Amino acid sequence: MNKRVLSTVAIGALALSVSLTACSGGDSRTDSDTLEVWDLQQSGKDINESYAPIIQSFEKANPGVKVKLTVIPYEQYLNKALLALNGSSGPDVLSLDQIWMAQLAAAGQISALDEQIEASSTIEPDDFFAGAWASNVYDDSTYGVPLNADVWEQLYYNADLFEKAGLDPDAPPTTWEEWNAALEKLTDPSTDQAGISLIGCKNEGSVVVTNSLMFSNDGSVITDDASSYDSAENAAALEQYATLADFAPAGVAATCEQDAVARFTAGKAAMLLDGSWQQDTMKTSADFDWRIAVPPVPAGKTFIGALGGFNLGISAKATRPDLAFKWIEHLTTAENQVAVNSLIPALKTAGAEFVAENRQQPDVVLETLENGGTRPATPAYPQISKAQQDTVQAILGGEDVAKALAEGSEAIGAAIDAAR
């Protein structure tokens, strides 16, 4: 998978803060039976080609209807969507990053779909990965249907370096205590070999990696519309993150996903925290025995990663909302989800099929996906993400974890208050 898709980087977060009052051009649709559909360019996969038979079958089942598909790169997508949704032109149905849902819903840009879902004979919430479905819920209403999902993260490790360090590659660490002990053995400053390659730069990557540590220690970011960031559980998780940084190559605060992956594939680090999409990179770039495992957790806990992915929403200005929902139903069959996705389909049967065909150790991938947790569903998410990024930067800069958390929690609380 293209890393740009699930790594909702700072550009995406900044774009979310663009005013929703931006203007757009006139209505480009003159035919109410033309369905405008927008999707994201996920990877090198030809989206138009994969959609062609699905569009054809939908048009055949709905005589007189024409589907117009527009595919837009991720980096440009949100700004274009904001302009279009505020204007009189634009899509009827569009794919949306999970972390965009609450802001667009709160602004009245997308429609609640509870009644359509309740009446649907084909869409059942329990058929989707639970976290993926939950990412569509804001203020007790459901604003979309999941298209795909993945999770930050799995633990990638170099089995050859494990053996060299006297560690059993068939028994990777499962607890934080075992993890730290393994890192000690895998780190060799004399050869510049690091125990782990760690994402820490100021973008969404550092948010989701630290979220996974916090979620796995029963921590959270927001509870009952208030900051819960400054907690003992989160403090312990961020102390563990600081420990990981001690065993990583210098410059963690400037290390983004691409850099972290490159160090691992070059054999300069024995472990890496990243998502299943990076298996495509490993297959072509890692010249060693690489494997994955469920990331270590505090003793007695369950790993809960931070979910990412995309949902199908309907514009509040859709000319034919009934037709738009029929398209969503059509696109969320198992066969069609597999056909259009280069990410893991959010429908569980389709997701299991995709992972079995495209991922090494599919059982590990599915376990982490089944247990994935969502990032806060709030219109204030861009500001909350920034506060978390600032916290990580402060900790990596040597600030006391408790102090950094308190400052971050204050910023998160202010963002929540401002969004009310």
Side-chain angles (χ1 to χ4, degrees), residues 38-40 51 77 93-97 100 147 310-313:
W38 283 17
D39 202 353
L40 296 118
Y51 265 101
Y77 194 92
V93 184
L94 63 169
S95 297
L96 296 168
D97 194 319
W100 302 342
L147 178 62
F310 297 90
N311 302 319
L312 297 168

Side-chain angles (χ1 to χ4, degrees), residues 133-319:
W133 187 270
S135 71
N136 290 279
V137 178
Y138 169 69
D139 199 22
D140 297 326
S141 291
T142 304
Y143 285 87
V145 173
L147 178 62
N148 53 56
D150 214 325
V151 67
W152 290 83
E153 64 274 331
Q154 292 88 48
L155 178 71
Y156 287 81
Y157 66 98
N158 185 326
D160 297 338
L161 291 180
F162 266 57
E163 288 188 345
K164 184 179 178 181
L167 297 169
D168 183 357
D170 295 323
T174 60
T175 67
W176 286 357
E177 183 179 7
E178 293 173 353
W179 201 5
N180 296 342
L183 286 165
E184 290 275 4
K185 295 182 179 181
L186 290 163
T187 303
D188 185 358
S190 67
T191 61
D192 290 328
Q193 180 185 303
I196 190 167
S197 190
L198 189 64
I199 297 169
C201 73
K202 190 174 170 59
N203 70 22
E204 191 72 11
S206 61
V207 173
V208 286
V209 168
T210 52
N211 275 353
S212 71
L213 295 169
M214 295 188 299
F215 294 170
S216 299
N217 196 38
D218 299 328
S220 60
V221 180
I222 294 177
T223 303
D224 296 330
D225 203 28
S227 174
S228 52
Y229 194 49
D230 187 9
S231 68
E233 292 81 5
N234 287 351
L238 291 179
E239 289 283 4
Q240 175 62 22
Y241 178 79
T243 297
L244 296 179
D246 290 339
F247 294 104
V252 174
T255 301
C256 296
E257 183 184 12
Q258 184 176 0
D259 304 315
V261 172
R263 288 169 179 167
F264 178 76
T265 57
K268 295 180 180 179
M271 289 186 271
L272 168 73
L273 291 170
D274 214 322
S276 73
W277 55 90
Q278 288 297 352
Q279 289 203 22
D280 295 333
T281 303
M282 302 304 164
K283 291 171 184 176
T284 58
S285 302
D287 189 22
F288 51 82
D289 180 8
W290 62 271
R291 306 181 192 179
I292 62 169
V294 176
V297 295
K301 306 281 188 180
T302 298
F303 176 72
I304 301 175
L307 277 170
F310 297 90
N311 302 319
L312 297 168
I314 296 178
S315 167
K317 296 180 179 178
T319 55

Side-chain angles (χ1 to χ4, degrees), residues 22-67:
C23 62
S24 182
D27 194 348
S28 63
R29 293 190 299 268
T30 58
D31 183 354
S32 63
D33 287 330
T34 295
L35 189 68
E36 294 268 1
V37 176
W38 283 17
D39 202 353
L40 296 118
Q41 183 62 46
Q42 299 173 359
S43 68
K45 183 173 183 176
D46 189 328
I47 299 296
N48 284 287
E49 181 180 340
S50 63
Y51 265 101
I54 295 169
I55 291 173
Q56 184 178 27
S57 61
F58 184 79
E59 291 178 346
K60 182 177 180 180
N62 297 274
V65 171
K66 295 296 180 184
V67 176

Side-chain angles (χ1 to χ4, degrees), residues 60-138:
K60 182 177 180 180
N62 297 274
V65 171
K66 295 296 180 184
V67 176
K68 179 183 176 183
L69 174 68
T70 302
V71 180
I72 302 170
Y74 182 85
E75 292 84 351
Q76 304 170 21
Y77 194 92
L78 183 58
N79 279 331
K80 288 181 179 291
L82 291 175
L83 290 170
L85 289 172
N86 187 67
S88 56
S89 64
D92 297 295
V93 184
L94 63 169
S95 297
L96 296 168
D97 194 319
Q98 291 178 358
I99 59 172
W100 302 342
M101 301 298 293
Q103 184 162 351
L104 296 178
Q109 302 287 353
I110 54 177
S111 298
L113 304 179
D114 301 274
E115 291 183 6
Q116 295 95 317
I117 292 168
E118 178 67 26
S120 177
S121 61
T122 60
I123 294 179
E124 294 289 341
D126 290 344
D127 291 343
F128 296 82
F129 291 110
W133 187 270
S135 71
N136 290 279
V137 178
Y138 169 69

